[in-house]
Amino acid sequence: MKERVIAIIVSLLVWSLAGALFGGLFIGLHQVLVLLGLGGWQPLVFGAVAAAMTTAAFYSAMPLALVGATSGVLASIGYLVISGQRIELAAITLLAAGTGIAAGAFFAWTGRQNARPLAETLTGMLAGFGAGLALVLVLTTLGTPVGSFVMAAGVVAMVGTLFQLNEHWIVQACHGWLPDSLAAPLVAGLIASVIGAAVWLMAGMTTPMLFGGERSVIDQVLREVPSGALGGMLGGAVTGLILELLGFRLEDHDVV
């Protein structure tokens, strides 16, 4: 009984932290995509897909995810030092992605070639796509604005459920045809590119001359992120508890 209680507490902690990461990232990406001119269903779906892919990589392949995140941070800092006042989203994202791919290739070269991280990331992508479409449908049906807290909690719950229910069969379906040598570079490059975009956004906040008239919009983006993180934490905790009680136990999940 004691071991079961401890397992549930650990599961709640992991799901809460993953939900906070996902919720904050989703809201931030959604707001940035709106800032870049996307409208309608696109910011919701693309934001959910990108956030779900990134969170799935962290959840399932932490060492590789840390390699990608570290390379993205280093590449972004180098770009900021070299570029000075001229910071472009495409440039910093591509540089971070290229550095992440190189770091991931080195990670695989050290003998840790495994296609599972890519399969898990693809599972997150599909879960994010499904949750994004469901969120668009719900918001269209309601016809009223929904705050970042509620939106993040809902999308985290949907992505977590879809990921857990479909992870096994998608990973099994991908087994054998995904190249082991390409999995680590692609996953690390994806995470690094997301880090690069985040650094671009933070640089816009700390350097007043970078974005001019868009500065107020960026302020709004960063004001919404904490609400998204808190909503994601709540959604992740509730979803994790329900799945744990239904038998989808965290200790049965394979981490690579």
Side-chain angles (χ1 to χ4, degrees):
M1 181 63 182
K2 179 181 178 181
E3 291 78 8
R4 192 78 204 101
V5 171
I6 294 176
I8 292 176
I9 293 174
V10 172
S11 178
L12 285 176
L13 179 61
V14 172
W15 275 90
S16 296
L17 293 176
L21 171 65
F22 181 94
L25 185 58
F26 165 69
I27 293 299
L29 289 171
H30 173 264
Q31 296 290 336
V32 169
L33 290 173
V34 171
L35 170 64
L36 294 177
L38 297 183
W41 60 270
Q42 295 174 328
L44 291 172
V45 174
F46 293 160
V49 168
M53 291 172 66
T54 306
T55 307
F58 272 98
Y59 179 65
S60 304
M62 181 62 73
L64 177 58
L66 291 176
V67 169
T70 302
S71 60
V73 169
L74 294 177
S76 299
I77 292 175
Y79 178 85
L80 293 177
V81 171
I82 296 173
S83 63
Q85 296 293 311
R86 188 175 181 82
I87 302 178
E88 298 179 0
L89 176 60
I92 193 172
T93 302
L94 288 174
L95 178 62
T99 306
I101 290 173
F106 178 78
F107 183 88
W109 178 76
T110 60
R112 288 172 282 190
Q113 294 188 9
N114 190 342
R116 188 180 178 91
L118 184 56
E120 297 278 6
T121 304
L122 291 175
T123 305
M125 179 190 71
L126 294 175
F129 183 73
L133 290 179
L135 184 61
V136 171
L137 179 62
V138 170
L139 294 180
T140 302
T141 303
L142 292 176
T144 56
V146 176
S148 298
F149 182 91
V150 176
M151 191 160 59
V155 77
V156 166
M158 286 187 285
V159 167
T161 302
L162 290 173
F163 181 87
Q164 202 69 27
L165 293 178
N166 295 289
E167 177 192 16
H168 179 73
W169 73 266
I170 292 179
V171 172
Q172 290 297 318
C174 292
H175 181 72
W177 64 270
L178 285 180
D180 292 349
S181 58
L182 290 181
L186 290 177
V187 173
L190 165 70
I191 294 175
S193 64
V194 173
I195 295 295
V199 171
W200 170 82
L201 182 63
M202 295 304 297
M205 269 298 296
T206 57
T207 308
M209 297 302 294
L210 288 181
F211 291 92
E214 298 175 353
R215 179 62 183 269
S216 62
V217 182
I218 294 176
D219 290 342
Q220 177 64 27
V221 171
L222 294 182
R223 281 197 298 269
E224 295 295 330
V225 169
S227 297
L230 289 175
M233 181 179 293
L234 176 62
V238 173
T239 303
L241 178 60
I242 294 175
L243 290 173
E244 186 79 17
L245 295 176
L246 291 177
F248 295 92
R249 297 178 177 177
L250 182 66
E251 57 267 29
D252 296 333
H253 178 80
D254 294 327
V255 180
V256 292

